């Protein structure tokens, strides 16, 4: 068991490292607020590095939904089963903790900022739509009434909406894996066609924000997870994961332009990421790849990518508003320092408490009993708590609370995942050894 857990932890470090790369790419993509971009975009290498936000978002989506869907399917095969309401509530709590803290702090800061150009009405409407995870629709329909410095949070709205869809689909077809694969594959093909149609007919702004357009990458992750029992019948070797990882470099370059992202290169990025996740799950990754992606600074950024993602863009806007006479170096150092510093404080004050809250025994009881029976049991036992679990046994794996954080931390969108021991056992069974745009676009 300890060897299995060690294997899962190694894979988790790899996934965290990949998400670390993704959050760096998103920060570089959003850096137009702090530094001039003309010379950067003139060079093909720096142009890719500083405009790969779409590919970075695909990394978060594919990795997160692969882990989350795999965890759900493992739970569906256990005695605990899948509790859609509990998973969705957990997802909301997972996002809401850091969001509430960040939005409250930013509201206080901007309310006393004489340079802030947004009205109280714009701020109020934006906060409501962000916390109800309908922010991307609001940006589509009321762009002029939205706070541009929070535009990047469309990602969390799309993530939450697609998560609800995947949870319900997995729950409905949990006993029919083949039909689940067919259903996810069919919707995925439709999304690939639909995304280009919307881009061609309605333009880049609508294409970047619409849920049905951006859900192709998360569905690719979910599809790969659902197809694991069938893919495990094939022969997988360590070089396949490495080849998929290396292919992301030219694919990110080819999908830098918006039109290319909505054509074959953008689709190929999601496919390569899905192959990477499957290959690293079914075969031991090469030592050099494990060392590269497990590099501690990268893994650290991946582990804390949710708070970094939430904070960096509004901080960049804030610094930009107050640094018109500064040098590029001063503006860049100040913006990055404040963004990473506030993310660290948020992690210390909020994120750790949220994870501790989600690791409580009561969540295991809720998933064992279901939401309504658990509430009734709590009411019956009210006043008789002695600090122990209301139902006693800890049963099954806690989707979202993970010994190694696998699946729980999916980067900018922290995904619920399965218990590390369940995933490790599943590996043996299956044969295993972001982006930004200028104010009007609100891209993430």
């Amino acid at each position: 068991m300890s060897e299995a857990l060690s294997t899962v932890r190694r894979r988790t470090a790899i996934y965290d490292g990949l998400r670390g790369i993704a959050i760096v790419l998103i920060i570089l993509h959003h850096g137009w607020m702090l530094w001039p971009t003309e010379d950067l975009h003139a060079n093909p290498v720096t142009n890719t590095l500083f405009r790969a936000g779409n590919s970075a978002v695909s990394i978060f989506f594919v990795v997160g939904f692969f882990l989350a869907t795999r965890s759900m399917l493992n739970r569906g095969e256990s005695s605990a089963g899948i509790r859609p309401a509990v998973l969705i509530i957990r997802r909301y709590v997972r996002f809401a903790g850091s969001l509430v803290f960040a939005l409250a702090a930013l509201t206080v800061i901007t309310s006393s900022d004489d340079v802030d150009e947004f009205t109280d009405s714009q701020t109020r409407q934006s906060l409501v739509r962000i916390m109800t995870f309908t922010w991307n629709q609001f940006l589509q329909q009321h762009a002029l009434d939205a706070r541009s410095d929070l535009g990047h949070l469309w990602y969390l709205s799309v993530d939450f909406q697609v998560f609800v869809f995947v949870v319900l689909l997995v729950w409905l077809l949990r006993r029919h894996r083949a039909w689940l694969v067919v259903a996810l594959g069919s919707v995925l093909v439709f999304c690939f066609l639909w995304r280009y149609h919307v881009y061609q007919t309605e333009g880049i702004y609508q294409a970047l924000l619409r849920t049905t357009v951006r859900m192709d990458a998360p569905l690719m992750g979910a599809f790969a997870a659902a197809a694991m029992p069938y893919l495990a019948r094939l022969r997988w070797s360590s070089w396949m994961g490495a080849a998929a990882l290396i292919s992301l470099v030219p694919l990110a370059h080819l999908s830098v332009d918006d039109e290319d992202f909505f054509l074959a290169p953008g689709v190929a990025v999601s496919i390569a990421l899905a192959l990477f996740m499957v290959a690293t799950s079914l075969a031991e990754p090469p030592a050099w790849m494990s060392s590269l992606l497990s590099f501690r600074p990268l893994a650290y950024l991946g582990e804390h990518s949710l708070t970094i993602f939430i904070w960096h863009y509004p901080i960049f806007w804030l610094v930009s508003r107050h640094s018109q006479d500064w040098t590029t170096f001063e503006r860049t150092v100040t913006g990055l320092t404040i963004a990473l510093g506030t993310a660290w404080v948020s992690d210390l004050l909020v994120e750790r408490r949220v994870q501790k809250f989600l690791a409580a025994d009561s969540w295991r009881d809720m998933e064992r009993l279901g939401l309504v029976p658990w509430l009734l049991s709590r009411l019956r036992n009210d006043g008789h708590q002695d600090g122990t679990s209301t139902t006693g046994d800890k049963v099954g794996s806690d989707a979202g609370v993970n010994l190694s954080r696998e699946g729980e931390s999916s980067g900018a969108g922290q995904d619920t995942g399965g218990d590390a021991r369940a995933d490790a056992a599943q590996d043996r069974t299956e044969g295993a050894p972001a982006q930004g745009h200028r104010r009007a676009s609100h891209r993430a």
Side-chain angles (χ1 to χ4, degrees):
M1 183 64 71
S2 60
E3 181 181 351
L5 286 176
S6 177
T7 299
V8 170
R9 289 193 177 100
R10 287 198 301 272
R11 288 178 183 149
T12 300
I14 290 175
Y15 303 150
D16 281 337
L18 185 59
R19 289 188 289 244
I21 294 174
I23 195 62
V24 169
L25 292 175
I26 286 179
I27 289 174
L28 293 178
H29 194 96
H30 285 161
W32 62 267
M33 296 293 301
L34 302 177
W35 53 71
T37 59
E38 290 78 9
D39 292 340
L40 294 172
H41 293 171
N43 182 286
V45 175
T46 55
N47 182 53
T48 299
L49 284 175
F50 286 81
R51 292 183 59 203
N54 281 318
S55 296
V57 168
S58 294
I59 290 174
F60 284 130
F61 273 144
V62 174
V63 174
F65 274 79
F66 177 90
L67 297 174
T69 304
R70 192 174 180 196
S71 173
M72 281 185 267
L73 291 169
N74 287 342
R75 285 195 55 79
E77 296 172 357
S78 71
S79 59
I82 300 173
R83 305 290 185 179
V86 178
L87 292 176
I88 293 170
I89 292 173
R90 283 184 62 91
R91 185 64 149 219
Y92 186 90
V93 172
R94 187 69 189 82
F95 288 157
S98 294
L99 273 177
V100 168
F101 178 72
L103 296 178
L106 291 169
T107 300
V108 172
I109 294 171
T110 56
S111 64
S112 58
D113 183 2
D114 296 334
V115 187
D116 186 63
E117 58 194 87
F118 303 105
T119 66
D120 291 342
S121 175
Q122 287 176 305
T123 299
R124 183 169 54 255
Q125 291 184 82
S126 298
L127 298 186
V128 170
R129 299 307 289 266
I130 289 170
M131 292 309 303
T132 55
F133 295 104
T134 56
W135 179 230
N136 64 315
Q137 287 99 337
F138 187 77
L139 291 173
Q140 288 178 264
Q141 301 163 9
H142 307 283
L144 297 179
D145 298 323
R147 287 194 64 104
S148 300
D149 56 351
L150 299 175
H152 68 304
L153 296 178
W154 70 264
Y155 165 85
L156 296 183
S157 292
V158 172
D159 184 287
F160 187 83
Q161 295 163 27
V162 179
F163 181 79
V164 172
F165 172 77
V166 171
V167 166
L168 294 177
L169 188 63
V170 170
W171 178 72
L172 287 171
L173 299 175
R174 61 194 182 278
R175 295 187 178 90
H176 307 282
R177 178 69 70 93
W179 284 111
L180 176 61
V181 173
V182 170
L184 286 170
S186 300
V187 178
L188 189 57
V189 171
F190 168 79
C191 287
F192 287 149
L193 300 174
W194 176 249
R195 68 203 298 265
Y196 183 67
H197 169 76
V198 173
Y199 171 75
Q200 289 281 43
T201 58
E202 301 184 42
I204 185 61
Y205 184 74
Q206 296 295 324
L208 287 171
L209 293 171
R210 184 166 298 174
T211 303
T212 53
V213 173
R214 300 311 298 266
M215 68 190 298
D216 62 299
L219 288 182
M220 175 60 75
F223 172 79
M228 282 284 283
Y230 308 104
L231 296 174
R233 299 171 185 173
L234 305 176
R235 180 175 297 178
W236 295 84
S237 62
S238 59
W239 66 265
M240 294 181 180
L245 179 67
I246 293 172
S247 72
L248 291 174
V249 176
L251 289 175
H253 174 73
L254 293 173
S255 60
V256 160
D257 293 332
D258 292 327
E259 183 173 7
D260 292 328
F261 177 73
F262 288 99
L263 284 171
V267 173
V269 168
S270 296
I271 294 174
L273 286 165
L275 290 174
F276 171 82
M277 296 302 294
V278 173
T280 53
S281 296
L282 296 177
E284 189 68 25
W288 67 265
M289 188 173 75
S290 297
S291 299
L292 173 66
L293 293 179
S294 300
F295 182 52
R296 187 53 196 159
L298 278 181
Y300 180 87
L301 290 173
E303 290 171 7
H304 300 87
S305 54
L306 174 62
T307 51
I308 295 172
F309 178 81
I310 290 173
W311 279 99
H312 81 281
Y313 198 53
I315 292 298
F316 286 4
W317 272 78
L318 180 65
V319 171
S320 178
R321 289 198 297 265
H322 292 272
S323 60
Q324 296 302 315
D325 299 328
W326 296 11
T327 65
T328 298
F329 177 80
E330 291 171 335
R331 189 183 302 113
T332 299
V333 171
T334 302
L336 291 175
T337 300
I338 296 177
L340 295 176
T342 50
W344 178 80
V345 171
S346 177
D347 180 79
L348 188 66
L349 298 179
V350 179
E351 182 68 10
R352 296 181 186 181
R353 287 174 169 80
V354 170
Q355 294 211 14
K356 183 178 180 180
F357 172 70
L358 291 175
D361 287 342
S362 56
W363 287 99
R364 297 179 185 272
D365 298 331
M366 194 185 306
E367 291 192 344
R368 180 189 181 187
L369 298 173
L371 180 60
V372 174
W374 178 82
L375 288 173
L376 293 176
S377 71
R378 291 298 296 249
L379 290 174
R380 286 196 301 267
N381 289 282
D382 189 28
H384 299 285
Q385 298 299 315
D386 59 358
T388 60
S389 171
T390 56
T391 57
D393 298 333
K394 298 179 183 179
V395 179
S397 61
D398 185 359
V401 179
N402 191 311
L403 296 180
S404 64
R405 292 174 61 112
E406 179 177 356
E408 179 67 32
S409 169
S410 69
Q414 304 283 331
D415 285 299
T416 53
D419 181 64
R421 288 169 294 186
D423 285 345
Q426 187 73 6
D427 284 344
R428 293 196 302 274
T429 301
E430 291 169 350
Q435 72 211 1
H437 195 269
R438 289 166 171 58
R439 181 186 313 170
S441 76
H442 298 286
R443 289 196 235 168

